[in-house]
Amino acid sequence: MRTGHLKSVGVFAAAGSLLAFAPATATAATARTPQHCTVSVEGGDMRCFDTYRQAIAAATGGLVADAPLDVETAMADPSFADRIDRAGETVGARAGEARAGDAQAGDARPGAAAAAAAVVLSTEYEHGNFGGASLSVTGPSACGSARWQLALGADWNDRISSYKTFNNCQVRHWEHTDFSGANTGYQVGDQDWIGDLNDRASSIDFTYGESPTTAQLLKDCGKATESCDFRPTGNASYSYGGAHEVARGYNCSSVAQTRKMTWTEQTSGENSVSTEISVTAGFDFLEKFEVTFKASYGHKWAWADTFAEETTLQVPAGQVGWVDRNTHLQSASGTYELHYKSKHWGHYVWYVKNFSGTGPVPQEAGVVTWNTRKMTAAEKNAQCKGRAAFVTAEPGAEGAAAPTAPAGAASARSAATVSSGR
């Protein structure tokens, strides 16, 4: 709902009693389109900056001074949300120390440190998928017993399309400036689309909303849930993990040798929460990923694959030969939607978004090559002295190329995010 009113800000206790309500004055930023702004639920002017980094530095009082320059990069980095939450904990601790100091001095009013403290409650985005301009809303503490309310000013009225919460907050968006009309219901975490209130929100309120980790949700998938489904996004992609040695042999004779080298290699995949959940642990969500991948893309998926092959290796006299394999990998990403019979963390529905997996293409050799070079004196002494004409050795012996990490493994760990439904 569009209004001609100036922005007003309200702060309410959990029971709804009014603590403060003050109109904010217009700023110079209202004369132009805001890029990255901050505003407090306690009142005061909206401040706008050219970069998201500057806005977050201002919103956190300098505790997070090196945020990404743009919101898209920030949203792709889960460590950024952790830093915002840690900054909120620091602000809370400082406020507690300030209050304790005031009490000892016989002053019941908040100290200077507490008054200057700010905690990021949410960042609101102009476009879906966390794009465009941003508005970071701050409060005096993380969400808990207090309930914070904010009526959006002219710059952000009817403008929000997506949002993200921080510091144990869940947020509800309202159609009108007086917290009435249609609303989104309380949501927590990453919400890449506001839904029916797209470009229609005129006020928002915050309350406590605990958010589970991706690992907690995925461990519940198919076990503690009524339903759990994986929905892939986009096309599957294919890559190679890098050439690495799988077999080696030394020709200790004075004539060329031809040998059939039998080798076996087991390759494990990666997923976006692999630091917390192993792909070999047998969780139901891994099986759902496999089934959905095959149904969607027509190819079998494997989180781990053991491949065996025989390679004919021709090694000239006095040389060492080795077999390299470049493993063929496949990757896919999407969203898990989990439905619980009763409320978990305050909601029936939870999402794990941007989950990604990378695994070996089952029973495919990839690219297999063999190479030779002249043995060093040390190798001749170690491998050929008093031994057979041709000596095999374990992969990774002296002179071998080091195995390369699968492509996409590092990026897969940094993508998954959590958001709530109803």
Side-chain angles (χ1 to χ4, degrees):
M1 171 181 175
R2 296 196 177 276
T3 69
H5 298 159
L6 290 174
K7 175 174 85 277
S8 59
V9 184
V11 182
F12 294 80
S17 57
L18 180 65
L19 298 180
F21 191 90
T25 58
T27 70
T30 60
R32 61 180 177 84
T33 302
Q35 293 302 306
H36 301 285
C37 304
T38 69
V39 66
S40 172
V41 295
E42 291 188 300
D45 293 344
M46 179 184 295
R47 296 178 293 170
C48 294
F49 305 87
D50 291 332
T51 68
Y52 190 55
R53 176 180 295 172
Q54 292 171 319
I56 290 299
T60 62
L63 291 175
V64 181
D66 58 347
L69 291 171
D70 60 274
V71 292
E72 290 85 356
T73 302
M75 285 302 303
D77 181 6
S79 66
F80 171 72
D82 293 337
R83 291 163 62 201
I84 295 294
D85 289 344
R86 286 196 299 270
E89 293 172 0
T90 300
V91 169
R94 288 179 180 177
E97 292 170 0
R99 285 191 295 269
D102 294 335
Q104 289 179 353
D107 189 352
R109 295 171 301 171
V119 176
V120 179
L121 309 180
S122 78
T123 296
E124 311 292 318
Y125 301 94
E126 179 184 20
H127 302 317
N129 293 312
F130 320 106
S134 70
L135 175 67
S136 294
V137 183
T138 65
S141 66
C143 289
S145 59
R147 193 183 85 201
W148 313 109
Q149 292 189 328
L150 170 69
L152 297 167
D155 282 336
W156 278 89
N157 186 58
D158 294 342
R159 192 178 179 188
I160 296 170
S161 295
S162 58
Y163 51 94
K164 176 178 175 60
T165 66
F166 303 97
N167 287 294
N168 296 324
C169 291
Q170 58 181 351
V171 62
R172 177 171 51 181
H173 293 72
W174 294 89
E175 181 183 9
H176 304 314
T177 55
D178 60 350
F179 312 100
S180 65
N183 70 83
T184 60
Y186 281 117
Q187 306 286 352
V188 64
D190 304 81
Q191 305 294 333
D192 53 13
W193 184 246
I194 196 173
D196 291 341
L197 279 189
N198 179 52
D199 291 338
R200 294 175 57 210
S202 297
S203 58
I204 54 181
D205 73 282
F206 300 85
T207 188
Y208 176 79
E210 184 181 3
S211 179
T213 66
T214 55
Q216 286 175 307
L217 290 173
L218 292 176
K219 286 179 180 178
D220 277 355
C221 178
K223 297 185 183 295
T225 59
E226 186 174 27
S227 66
C228 176
D229 299 299
F230 177 73
R231 296 184 174 87
T233 303
N235 297 321
S237 61
Y238 297 87
S239 60
Y240 287 91
H244 52 279
E245 182 183 333
V246 292
R248 165 168 292 224
Y250 296 89
N251 184 358
C252 297
S253 72
S254 58
V255 296
Q257 298 282 340
T258 299
R259 289 289 190 276
K260 291 183 178 181
M261 304 290 290
T262 300
W263 52 270
T264 301
E265 183 182 40
Q266 182 173 12
T267 305
S268 295
E270 299 276 352
N271 73 81
S272 54
V273 288
S274 58
T275 56
E276 300 172 88
I277 297 181
S278 168
V279 296
T280 61
F283 291 106
D284 287 2
F285 81 91
L286 297 171
E287 296 180 9
K288 290 181 180 295
F289 187 100
E290 294 179 34
V291 172
T292 304
F293 181 89
K294 184 176 181 180
S296 300
Y297 305 116
H299 302 288
K300 186 177 180 181
W301 178 272
W303 290 106
D305 183 64
T306 300
F307 186 82
E309 188 167 273
E310 185 178 72
T311 303
T312 300
L313 187 63
Q314 297 177 344
V315 185
Q319 294 197 14
V320 56
W322 67 95
V323 180
D324 279 342
R325 182 192 185 199
N326 198 340
T327 310
H328 198 193
L329 305 173
Q330 53 190 356
S331 302
S333 60
T335 296
Y336 281 93
E337 181 174 329
L338 300 89
H339 290 250
Y340 290 90
K341 291 183 179 179
S342 58
K343 286 187 176 181
H344 282 58
W345 301 282
H347 296 271
Y348 289 99
V349 182
W350 284 94
Y351 303 90
V352 176
K353 298 180 178 180
N354 301 316
F355 178 91
S356 59
T358 298
V361 177
Q363 293 304 297
E364 185 175 309
V367 178
V368 177
T369 59
W370 57 270
N371 305 275
T372 62
R373 63 167 173 79
K374 186 177 180 180
M375 274 191 283
T376 66
E379 287 174 325
K380 283 185 178 181
N381 185 59
Q383 302 294 337
C384 299
K385 193 173 182 180
R387 297 197 180 182
F390 193 88
V391 179
T392 59
E394 291 294 322
E398 182 183 350
T404 304
S411 61
R413 290 196 184 97
S414 63
T417 57
V418 169
S419 66
S420 65
R422 60 185 173 86

